[in-house]
Amino acid sequence: MKKITIAIDGHSSCGKSTMAKNLARELGYIYIDTGAMYRSVTLYAMQNGFIDAGHNIDTEGLKKAMADINISFRFNDTTGRPDTYLNGKCVENEIRTMEVSNNVSPIATLGFVREAMVSQQRLMGKEGGVILDGRDIGTVVFPDAELKIFVTASDEIRAQRRYDELTAKGENVDYEDILKNVRERDYIDSHREIAPLTQAADAIVLDNSNMTIPEQQEWLLKLTREVVSASE
Ligand code: DC
């Protein structure tokens, strides 16, 4: 079976990573969570004094430090998905906190950050047989991807999903704060100058507001099989 490249883009917290992870397992593909990469740069910036409490970024300092940021993924057999490593340390939980979510979109607007991440993503995905999720995969990173999905869901449903995920991990979070964060990130991600979140002209839209995870998985697998056989 031919190994294709699959791009899953869309709004924050709409289940892209769950879809991508499950599909990767089903097909034996590599899953690359590109949001985790921007989150790792953000965590590094927070830990090394490049972001202050007022969310101001020392861009010159961070730019110089980019060469010291090494991001990699290692598959975790227990969770069935890759864990993110920052300079050799597993940061999978740390990068999902509200503090990181509140700082990540401004970091992801920086041209030098995007350049570094995009070139790593192209390298990781160059052999095909990959599923990447993010905001600019089908438009910038792999514009020739054989299958492009653009996922969305209502703001409230996305905030509720993120709330459930964080409370299940024991984080003490407020639903209204999360809703605000979801809307702010969508706004920044869609209005930034470089590689804004937009639907690729040839992407297939999935609004999963009223779909269960198994329903969306079945839809995606069927579609993928059709695209793979058409491209053989
Ligand atoms: O998918 P996520 O919520 O983990 O992504 C975190 C942030 O990273 C999101 O607010 C936008 C940014 N991002 C991006 O700009 N480009 C990508 N390819 C992936 C994520």
Side-chain angles (χ1 to χ4, degrees):
M1 233 215 245
K2 192 185 166 201
K3 293 231 164 184
I4 65 166
T5 298
I6 302 174
I8 302 184
D9 288 303
H11 293 108
S12 55
S13 307
C14 58
K16 297 185 297 296
S17 66
T18 304
M19 287 174 75
K21 173 193 85 174
N22 291 344
L23 186 65
R25 193 174 37 210
E26 198 79 47
L27 302 174
Y29 275 29
I30 292 169
Y31 163 47
I32 302 167
D33 177 349
T34 65
M37 299 173 74
Y38 291 95
R39 287 172 178 273
S40 299
V41 175
T42 307
L43 181 67
Y44 180 93
M46 289 163 62
Q47 288 175 338
N48 290 277
F50 298 119
I51 304 182
D52 69 18
H55 305 293
N56 302 301
I57 305 168
D58 169 6
T59 43
E60 281 314 307
L62 182 59
K63 196 175 192 172
K64 287 196 193 104
M66 283 307 288
D68 301 331
I69 303 179
N70 187 290
I71 301 163
S72 57
F73 295 104
R74 286 183 218 164
F75 193 78
N76 178 327
D77 286 325
T78 314
T79 59
R81 58 170 291 160
D83 281 340
T84 313
Y85 283 73
L86 171 61
N87 292 337
K89 180 177 174 264
C90 179
V91 291
E92 192 50 40
N93 289 328
E94 275 170 280
I95 59 169
R96 313 279 168 198
T97 60
M98 275 301 279
E99 285 93 328
V100 172
S101 296
N102 283 331
N103 284 301
V104 65
S105 281
I107 291 284
T109 63
L110 301 171
F112 63 86
V113 172
R114 302 206 69 83
E115 244 169 64
M117 296 304 108
V118 169
S119 64
Q120 283 186 34
Q121 289 154 16
R122 288 187 178 143
L123 210 61
M124 289 177 192
K126 72 178 187 327
E127 307 292 345
V130 281
I131 303 170
L132 298 98
D133 82 39
R135 305 293 188 286
D136 60 342
I137 310 303
T139 50
V140 174
V141 185
F142 286 110
D144 297 330
E146 287 90 342
L147 176 59
K148 299 179 187 178
I149 315 283
F150 189 87
V151 196
T152 191
S154 79
D155 300 356
E156 291 79 8
I157 285 179
R158 290 186 288 131
Q160 187 65 49
R161 288 176 185 160
R162 183 53 61 110
Y163 176 84
D164 293 344
E165 192 183 309
L166 290 171
T167 47
K169 281 186 193 160
E171 264 207 64
N172 184 16
V173 286
D174 177 64
Y175 169 82
E176 291 301 328
D177 284 349
I178 294 180
L179 181 60
K180 188 165 163 267
N181 174 261
V182 161
R183 288 179 172 153
E184 269 171 13
R185 282 202 293 142
D186 283 351
Y187 184 86
I188 302 174
D189 296 344
S190 312
H191 290 83
R192 67 179 175 227
E193 228 166 89
I194 310 167
L197 168 65
T198 43
Q199 188 193 319
D202 51 349
I204 296 163
V205 178
L206 172 70
D207 182 336
N208 66 12
S209 300
N210 297 308
M211 277 172 112
T212 62
I213 291 175
E215 278 168 355
Q216 107 187 345
Q217 227 44 54
E218 197 185 319
W219 175 88
L220 184 59
L221 192 58
K222 184 167 171 281
L223 179 65
T224 307
R225 292 211 163 113
E226 283 165 11
V227 173
V228 170
S229 41
S231 67
E232 275 175 337

